[in-house]
Amino acid sequence: MSAPISLPRRSLIVSAATAMLLACSGCEERACPEATSRAEPPASEQPPAQPSAAPARTASVDHRDPRAWDDLPPWARRAAIMHGGLGPWAISGAIAGRDAAARLRARHPDASIVAEHSVDPDRQRTPYTCVMDGLRAGAELGESEVRFVHSPGLERGDPAPSHGEKPTTIFFVAFDAQKRPLEALRYTPTPELLSVLHEGSMDGLAADARRLIPQAPEKLFTIESVSVEQWR
């Protein structure tokens, strides 16, 4: 893991730190009359414990239970586990992070990478924090390498007509060992992605995430190079 990067110019507004939300609730067992009337066999004679089967997939189970995610690609399962749930905001961040890391590391194998999520200050909260978890998982970055910033001069995109909210922008910047920026990429959500993020329901979070997983990054984001001078 690379050392945290001290960015050269903009003040960072919020550091992404979202807690794991998974909770496991057990059921109260009822005593069986037949079981209580018989002595337990020695441990050596007891059959080995069987792994618990995956529960029937429902919207709630698919959103929260990791046992329902065994069919996901490793990167998507990692994002869901890190985030504490399977949802489209975290998965979209993972898709962008995975793609940007592959592009930048192919050209700068020894570089460290920082992701900046440019969001208006009043929106630096859920569900935009969900994207931050996805960025960390997709690009395999540390917590200090994924940050909220507010850079309106570098953002692009018009409000989607269906919900009227301006798209947020994600920047990925590669740095050399002397912490000098080498290259910057800008990812702006497309209308197709925005419709999934803003028009879905709470009951359909996992289903929306599964719809995004096989999509090409270029379909979900407008991907552009940004000059280092412009990024600064």
Side-chain angles (χ1 to χ4, degrees):
M1 183 67 63
S2 60
I5 301 300
S6 176
L7 293 181
R9 177 175 165 270
R10 293 190 298 277
S11 60
L12 304 175
I13 299 175
V14 178
S15 174
T18 52
M20 182 66 73
L21 303 176
L22 289 177
C24 188
S25 55
C27 300
E28 182 177 349
E29 295 183 356
R30 296 181 178 179
C32 172
E34 292 185 5
T36 55
S37 66
R38 296 194 300 267
E40 287 290 330
S44 60
E45 298 178 12
Q46 294 184 14
Q50 298 296 319
S52 58
R57 181 176 293 168
T58 63
S60 177
V61 165
D62 201 18
H63 178 49
R64 288 295 184 193
D65 197 324
R67 292 175 296 174
W69 306 334
D70 288 345
D71 62 321
L72 298 180
W75 64 267
R77 191 172 194 276
R78 182 172 63 247
I81 290 173
M82 180 177 290
H83 179 53
L86 178 59
W89 292 81
I91 288 298
S92 68
I95 291 172
R98 185 167 176 258
D99 183 73
R103 293 171 186 257
L104 292 175
R105 287 173 179 149
R107 294 191 283 269
H108 313 285
D110 299 323
S112 57
I113 298 174
V114 166
E116 296 184 342
H117 194 190
S118 183
V119 182
D120 297 337
D122 61 349
R123 289 193 288 167
Q124 293 180 7
R125 49 173 169 72
T126 305
Y128 299 96
T129 51
C130 305
V131 177
M132 307 288 270
D133 287 338
L135 294 175
R136 287 183 57 201
E140 300 185 48
L141 300 177
E143 185 175 315
S144 64
E145 296 166 321
V146 179
R147 301 167 175 136
F148 273 130
V149 298
H150 184 214
S151 305
L154 287 177
E155 294 175 359
R156 71 181 304 279
D158 298 321
S162 56
H163 54 74
E165 187 164 345
K166 182 180 179 180
T168 62
T169 303
I170 306 167
F171 298 96
F172 297 90
V173 187
F175 291 84
D176 65 15
Q178 286 72 45
K179 301 182 181 181
R180 295 173 301 197
L182 301 171
E183 183 179 0
L185 297 175
R186 175 170 57 196
Y187 283 64
T188 306
T190 62
E192 288 82 357
L193 175 57
L194 291 172
S195 66
V196 173
L197 296 180
H198 291 285
E199 297 173 12
S201 67
M202 290 297 294
D203 290 338
L205 289 174
D208 288 342
R210 288 180 177 275
R211 286 171 53 198
L212 295 179
I213 288 171
Q215 301 298 324
E218 294 83 0
K219 183 175 181 180
L220 304 178
F221 296 93
T222 299
I223 305 169
E224 303 166 290
S225 292
V226 178
S227 70
V228 170
E229 291 74 18
Q230 183 183 4
W231 171 79
R232 287 177 185 273

